[in-house]
Amino acid sequence: MSTLDVSNNNIGNKGAQMLVLALNSNESLKSLSMAGNNLGDTFAKTMASVLRQKEETARGLRHLNLSNNRIGIRGGDALADFLETNETITSLNLSWNSLRGKGAVSVINAVINQQKLDLCATTLRYLELSWNGIDDSLAESIGELIKTARVLELLDLSHNRLGPSSSSSMADNIVLNENSRLKTQFRMEKVTIVRY
């Protein structure tokens, strides 16, 4: 089996943790979706820990969907620790969570650091952060991510609270980044512009 989708169920933290722990002994699973299970920060910490261990053994999992799971600051911090040295996950969906300020900054900074490293070609290429309440306080971090992205092809920031500062930072840094893949696939439709 290469794909497992248990989205929008009621598997609970215990069920989710059992599934995640099974990843350590499975090299064939390439795609895992656990979206919509309201698993929270504790689960995100467990997932990050297992993914760090998995990198040292099996390197199968490539696509991970943790959207709509109430992952907040602590979960964002835990996932960020994993993302900095990630060489396995190429697609990560963290949309519809509660990353907001510090949690989102942790994730974005981890991806910035990862993109700067000379890791193998299987580094993160698709990052979805829509519907996370991200606002202009992250303008500088978002701009830096866009400027340093070497492998990242898609950054989905739709349905957040980005305003003029973020738009300006993104525009300035798109021009500075010579990575044409990000330029052509950068998504910002339906961004909420906050008027001051």
Side-chain angles (χ1 to χ4, degrees):
M1 177 173 62
S2 63
T3 301
L4 177 61
D5 187 342
V6 293
S7 299
N8 300 308
N9 282 291
N10 192 19
I11 60 175
N13 263 318
K14 186 170 184 165
Q17 288 178 2
M18 288 170 43
L19 283 171
V20 169
L21 292 172
L23 287 175
N24 277 332
S25 60
N26 183 313
E27 295 184 32
S28 63
L29 191 64
K30 305 290 183 216
S31 179
L32 175 62
S33 179
M34 300 179 90
N37 279 290
N38 295 313
L39 300 171
D41 287 339
T42 302
F43 166 74
K45 290 178 185 180
T46 301
M47 177 60 108
S49 174
V50 167
L51 289 172
R52 274 193 300 273
Q53 293 170 12
K54 188 167 179 62
E55 281 202 328
E56 297 169 9
T57 56
R59 294 176 174 246
L61 193 63
R62 297 285 184 249
H63 309 283
L64 181 59
N65 184 347
L66 298 177
S67 62
N68 197 16
N69 270 305
R70 295 182 303 119
I71 297 171
I73 294 171
R74 290 178 295 158
D77 289 346
L79 290 169
D81 289 343
F82 158 71
L83 285 172
E84 278 202 31
T85 58
N86 165 52
E87 292 184 40
T88 58
I89 304 294
T90 59
S91 174
L92 178 61
N93 186 342
L94 293 174
S95 59
W96 281 97
N97 279 297
S98 300
L99 293 174
R100 292 182 177 81
K102 188 178 180 319
V105 167
S106 294
V107 169
I108 289 170
N109 287 340
V111 176
I112 289 169
N113 292 336
Q114 184 229 32
Q115 295 285 310
K116 288 180 180 177
L117 297 174
D118 287 326
L119 297 175
C120 65
T122 58
T123 55
L124 193 66
R125 293 183 183 153
Y126 306 97
L127 178 61
E128 297 184 47
L129 294 172
S130 61
W131 297 98
N132 267 292
I134 297 171
D135 61 22
D136 270 352
S137 66
L138 275 70
E140 188 176 321
S141 295
I142 293 168
E144 182 67 16
L145 174 57
I146 291 170
K147 183 172 78 177
T148 60
R150 294 184 312 116
V151 180
L152 193 66
E153 294 178 37
L154 178 124
L155 174 61
D156 185 350
L157 294 169
S158 60
H159 301 284
N160 279 294
R161 298 180 192 144
L162 303 176
S165 296
S166 296
S167 298
S168 176
S169 179
M170 287 184 275
D172 292 346
N173 287 293
I174 285 172
V175 172
L176 295 173
N177 187 331
E178 295 177 6
N179 181 348
S180 61
R181 289 178 294 187
L182 181 61
K183 288 179 192 174
T184 58
Q185 294 193 25
F186 181 75
R187 284 175 46 185
M188 240 189 86
E189 70 269 1
K190 297 184 182 177
V191 171
T192 302
I193 301 298
V194 179
R195 295 183 184 251
Y196 297 96

